[in-house]
Amino acid sequence: MLLLVIGLLVFVGIHLLPTQTDIRRVVIERAGIGVYKAFFSIVAVIGFAIIVMGYHKAQLHPGKNPVLWTSPAWARHITMLLMIFAFPLLFAAYLPGRISAAVRHPMILAVKLWALAHLIVRGDVASLLLFGGLLAWAVADRISLKHREAAGLITIKSGPVRNDIIAIVLGLLAYAIFVKWGHPALIGVAIIP
C-alpha cells in the first residue's frame, strides 16, 4: 500500500505544480519551458508507473487491502455509463471544439468521471486511495483552473464542430475497444463476461 501512496504523492504532487503559478513561473524563467515540460512529463510518468505497481501489488495481497464496501451487481452498469462519457471527454481535451469550450476542461472532467465510476464498484482500501485520491485532486485542480482562468493565466480553446464529432467517434471507439479487450488485458478484469 505504501508504494501506491508514494506513487499518488509523486503524480498528484507534480500535477499541483501548475496551480502554484509563482513557483511555476520562476522554474520556467530559470530552466526554460522545454526543461519544465520534460521534467513535468518524466515525473508524471514515474508517478503513474509507481501507482500502477502499487495498486497491482495491493490487489495481490487482499489481506493487506480490506474491503470497506461491496457494490450491488447493478452498480457496474452505472460505471459503464459514466465511462461512455469519460472517453470522448478525454479526446475532446486534445481536439478543441464546442465540447471543450462548454465543459472548460474536458480532461479534468474525464478524470472525475473515471474516478467516481470506479469508486462505485471498487470498495477496497487501495481503490479508495487511488480513485478517491485522484477524484479529490481533479476537484481541487478544477477549482484552481477556474481561478487561473479568471486571472487570465489560462485561455479556453474552442474549435470547429468537426473536432467534437471526431472526439465523440474516437472516444466511443476507444471505449468499445477498452471494454472488450483493453480492460481485461491491461487491468485483468473482464467488463463483459
Side-chain angles (χ1 to χ4, degrees):
M1 204 73 69
L2 179 61
L3 195 60
L4 174 60
V5 172
I6 290 169
L8 283 166
L9 290 173
V10 170
F11 187 82
V12 171
I14 197 65
H15 280 85
L16 289 176
L17 182 58
T19 69
Q20 306 303 310
T21 54
D22 292 337
I23 295 171
R24 180 181 181 273
R25 182 181 39 78
V26 169
V27 170
I28 290 172
E29 285 173 0
R30 291 188 181 166
I33 190 71
V35 171
Y36 167 79
K37 287 182 177 181
F39 174 75
F40 184 96
S41 299
I42 290 167
V43 173
V45 167
I46 289 169
F48 181 76
I50 296 170
I51 287 170
V52 170
M53 289 185 296
Y55 187 74
H56 179 71
K57 186 177 178 183
Q59 297 304 317
L60 291 176
H61 302 287
K64 296 180 181 179
N65 183 25
V67 175
L68 303 175
W69 70 84
T70 303
S71 298
W74 54 263
R76 64 187 287 276
H77 300 295
I78 295 171
T79 296
M80 292 180 71
L81 178 65
L82 290 173
M83 292 306 296
I84 286 173
F85 295 99
F87 275 85
L89 284 166
L90 191 62
F91 283 93
Y94 297 100
L95 294 161
R98 305 300 191 270
I99 294 172
S100 59
V103 300
R104 314 302 285 169
H105 304 284
M107 175 75 76
I108 296 299
L109 183 53
V111 170
K112 286 186 208 176
L113 289 172
W114 169 80
L116 178 62
H118 286 78
L119 277 173
I120 290 170
V121 293
R122 300 291 305 181
D124 57 281
V125 171
S127 294
L128 180 62
L129 285 171
L130 174 61
F131 303 118
L134 290 177
L135 178 59
W137 162 74
V139 168
D141 196 50
R142 179 60 181 96
I143 293 167
S144 170
L145 285 165
K146 185 177 181 179
H147 292 299
R148 288 183 279 157
E149 187 181 333
L153 300 172
I154 294 175
T155 56
I156 303 301
K157 296 177 185 174
S158 185
V161 173
R162 139 182 114 249
N163 284 356
D164 296 326
I165 294 167
I166 294 169
I168 291 168
V169 170
L170 289 176
L172 293 176
L173 182 62
Y175 173 79
I177 291 168
F178 201 74
V179 165
K180 180 69 175 164
W181 296 290
H183 206 275
L186 297 173
I187 313 300
V189 177
I191 304 292
I192 300 172

